[in-house]
């Protein structure tokens, strides 16, 4: 079996990416990041998802991006928007996916893995610049320039199996692979029990995705 590092946040997209990696025959090593996110209950979901999908190992690495702030996801003084937004939203975390992929790259090189999966999506992506194909292509080039593995002639591949899919298509793909979306958390401001607010951008996109997919939404929302 070929090893792959899969970034698993605890959300719907990363759970689907993990299922796709397993379906493609990879031995999956799940990586989550405690980055100072206000919604850190997602890390419990990530642990549950990794175990349920048979990951070989699940690690949580701590990199406290809340030290810098600048995002509603890391700074409790910045409100999470509860109405649709345009442009790059305040829930964008500066350099988050660059940091995540760098950590995944480091673990992959240590494991002898050449494949990294990330559940970025450029269709229902809420305006995040680090979810675009151009970003992934640039990071792949960096990965193969900045590592011993790349210098010695092997190449890393960053897999983005969801990048061109709508949220409904992602859900349909995951259902076909047996993903239990009731175990996932997408909300930017869930309560301590993991119940979703039902109002933030992420909740809205998730709810619309299930409706469009014709699949019951197993999300537990706050009253």
């Amino acid at each position: 079996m070929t090893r792959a590092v899969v970034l698993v946040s605890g959300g719907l997209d990363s759970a689907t990416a993990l299922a796709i990696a397993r379906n493609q025959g990879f031995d999956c090593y799940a990586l989550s990041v405690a980055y100072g996110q206000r919604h850190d209950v997602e890390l419990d979901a990530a642990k549950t998802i990794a175990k349920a999908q048979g990951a070989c190992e699940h690690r949580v690495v701590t990199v406290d991006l809340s030290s810098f702030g600048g995002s509603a996801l890391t700074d409790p003084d910045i409100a999470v928007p509860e109405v649709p937004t345009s442009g790059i939203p305040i829930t964008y975390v500066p350099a988050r996916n660059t940091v995540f992929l760098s950590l995944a790259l480091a673990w992959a090189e240590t494991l002898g893995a050449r494949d990294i999966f990330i559940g970025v999506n450029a269709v229902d992506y809420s305006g995040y610049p680090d979810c675009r194909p151009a970003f992934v292509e640039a990071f792949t080039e960096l990965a193969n320039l900045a590592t011993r593995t790349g210098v010695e002639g092997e190449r890393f591949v960053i897999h983005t199996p969801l990048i061109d899919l709508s949220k409904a298509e992602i859900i349909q793909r995951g259902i076909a692979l047996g993903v239990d979306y009731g175990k996932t958390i997408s909300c930017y401001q869930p309560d301590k029990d993991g119940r979703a607010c039902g109002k933030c951008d992420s909740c809205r996109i998730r709810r619309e995705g299930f409706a469009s997919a014709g699949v019951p939404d197993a999300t537990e929302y706050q009253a």
Side-chain angles (χ1 to χ4, degrees):
M1 298 280 283
T2 302
R3 293 176 169 181
V5 173
V6 184
L7 285 160
V8 179
S9 68
L12 182 156
D13 292 339
S14 66
T16 309
L18 176 59
I20 290 171
R22 288 187 65 244
N23 187 61
Q24 291 180 2
F26 288 97
D27 276 336
C28 296
Y29 290 75
L31 179 63
S32 304
V33 184
Y35 62 91
Q37 63 267 55
R38 293 165 58 179
H39 55 307
D40 60 359
V41 293
E42 71 176 5
L43 296 173
D44 294 328
K47 180 180 179 180
T48 299
I49 292 162
K51 182 177 181 180
Q53 295 201 30
C56 298
E57 186 176 347
H58 176 229
R59 291 195 184 186
V60 178
V61 176
T62 299
V63 180
D64 190 6
L65 298 180
S66 68
S67 298
F68 308 121
S71 169
L73 300 192
T74 57
D75 187 341
D77 292 329
I78 301 176
V80 172
E82 295 186 349
V83 295
T85 59
S86 59
I88 299 174
I90 196 62
T91 49
Y92 161 71
V93 179
R96 182 176 63 177
N97 282 348
T98 305
V99 171
F100 286 8
L101 282 172
S102 296
L103 294 170
L105 177 63
W107 196 20
E109 191 166 33
T110 303
L111 288 169
R114 302 293 173 260
D115 297 273
I116 297 170
F117 282 75
I118 182 170
V120 294
N121 176 252
V123 178
D124 291 330
Y125 76 127
S126 295
Y128 298 125
D130 53 1
C131 290
R132 297 174 299 157
F135 164 74
V136 176
E137 292 167 8
F139 189 91
T140 302
E141 185 64 23
L142 178 150
N144 289 300
L145 286 172
T147 56
R148 179 173 63 187
T149 297
V151 169
E152 291 180 350
E154 297 186 67
R155 291 192 63 80
F156 288 99
V157 178
I158 312 297
H159 298 262
T160 56
L162 315 181
I163 202 158
D164 294 323
L165 303 182
S166 69
K167 191 66 71 178
E169 290 170 331
I170 292 169
I171 291 167
Q172 290 167 341
R173 183 76 178 276
I175 292 293
L177 294 173
V179 176
D180 181 357
Y181 288 119
K183 292 182 168 67
T184 65
I185 295 175
S186 300
C187 182
Y188 291 149
Q189 51 184 0
D191 65 17
K192 60 182 178 59
D193 296 317
R195 294 177 299 181
C197 73
K199 301 174 183 178
C200 68
D201 247 7
S202 189
C203 279
R204 177 182 56 80
I205 292 171
R206 179 183 174 113
R207 198 195 298 260
E208 291 173 356
F210 278 106
S212 296
V215 175
D217 183 358
T219 307
E220 185 177 1
Y221 292 99
Q222 299 168 30

